[in-house]
């Protein structure tokens, strides 16, 4: 997947659900979502109002500025740290091949150093 | 469960243990704890001294103020962001139907926009 | 394992891989990594350039100072809060007995109140 800009949350709930249905459309238990990157993570938050995602990006940018006298020479230490704070893996309940999320929950790829091509690994847990 | 105020950590270790015993009192492996909300999460921290939980709430409130010129109109962007930082799911080892936690560890529901009725889903992993 | 100083990320990828091979050298699925402490956690981040880990430690220290008028009398409230932010558990994909990580990913024990003896529990998920 291509992320559209440097810092953005991309709602991937339907992609995860589709991957899950392809793996086993009758699975009940858990699904594991893993992002194999170090400047992008995965998180669950509200999907109804997109301003929730924008506020989260803004709050993290205020807490961890892009320029901060960091040692890592690639200029993305902020992105690495944000990734460790939101995390790179989720385990989510599944019932009969479908994600069992709360009413307002969506799964977001959390991009902190895009735009880039990103992978998300979805496996039965 | 009804949380008592806007921002609070509620120790749910014994509730998770009881749910686990009811699911399978001889289970060994993992248990999965999932909070189906977007302004409350779940975290593990010290249970012996309640001031650890209070300090965590205060530290998060200082980092992410309630009022911050946010876009989301419901006035709880701080709560959404804190939830993504602590997370909404845990996987915890289980031995013979009981949680296998470290000596000082307790499981906390992390409420950031209460008081509210909250649910916690406990499933064998 | 003995951590070398108060705040440090220790790369434990090879130790987790060795523990995994000992548990089941042909396992495919998930491995669960759990830190049974409340002032140390576990996180995934870049392993190639050690300055990424140093920057993460520095960024967290700036966000959550060691002295902050905290209630908890042991003087390590900063460490407890950082632990809840990075988390104490990981679930990582495994193929044929080996960790399936992204190219740049390493698993780090995140020490926030060392030097101490720390344990990491590795179990098949």
């Amino acid at each position: 997947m291509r992320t559209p800009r440097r810092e953005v949350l991309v709602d991937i709930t339907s992609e995860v659900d589709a991957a899950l249905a392809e793996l086993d459309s009758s699975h009940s238990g858990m699904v594991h979502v893993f992002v194999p990157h170090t400047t992008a993570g995965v998180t669950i938050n509200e999907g109804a109002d997109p301003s929730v995602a924008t506020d989260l990006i803004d709050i993290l940018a205020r807490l961890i500025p892009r320029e901060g006298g960091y040692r890592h020479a690639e200029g993305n230490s902020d992105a690495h740290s944000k990734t460790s704070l939101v995390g790179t893996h989720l385990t989510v309940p599944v019932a009969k091949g479908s994600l069992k999320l709360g009413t307002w929950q969506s799964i977001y790829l959390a991009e902190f150093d895009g735009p880039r091509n990103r992978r998300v690994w979805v496996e039965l847990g």
Side-chain angles (χ1 to χ4, degrees), chain A:
Chain A
M1 146 188 342
R2 185 77 186 171
T3 55
R5 53 186 180 277
R6 186 169 195 269
E7 296 160 47
V8 61
L9 296 194
V10 181
D11 192 327
I12 58 170
T13 314
S14 61
E15 284 84 351
V16 173
D17 231 351
L20 181 58
E22 197 158 315
L23 285 167
D24 179 355
S25 64
S26 65
H27 179 70
S28 289
M30 297 291 154
V31 67
H32 188 247
V33 181
F34 189 83
V35 172
H37 305 288
T38 59
T39 54
V42 63
T43 191
I44 290 175
N45 220 306
E46 185 183 315
D49 177 2
S51 65
V52 168
T54 315
D55 283 341
L56 176 52
I57 288 292
D58 290 350
I59 284 169
L60 287 172
R62 185 178 56 73
L63 287 175
I64 307 177
R66 187 164 176 185
E67 309 290 339
Y70 307 121
R71 288 176 199 172
H72 183 51
E74 291 179 25
N76 59 0
S77 284
D78 64 318
H80 284 291
S81 291
K82 291 169 184 173
T83 300
S84 274
L85 294 184
V86 306
T88 57
H89 70 106
L90 293 176
T91 307
V92 180
V94 171
K96 295 180 184 163
S98 293
L99 290 166
K100 213 170 70 181
L101 290 164
T103 310
W104 303 103
Q105 288 183 321
S106 286
I107 300 175
Y108 285 101
L109 175 75
E111 172 66 84
F112 298 121
D113 194 29
R116 291 209 202 191
N117 294 316
R118 297 298 195 178
R119 285 167 297 151
V120 178
W121 297 346
V122 178
E123 302 183 54
L124 301 182

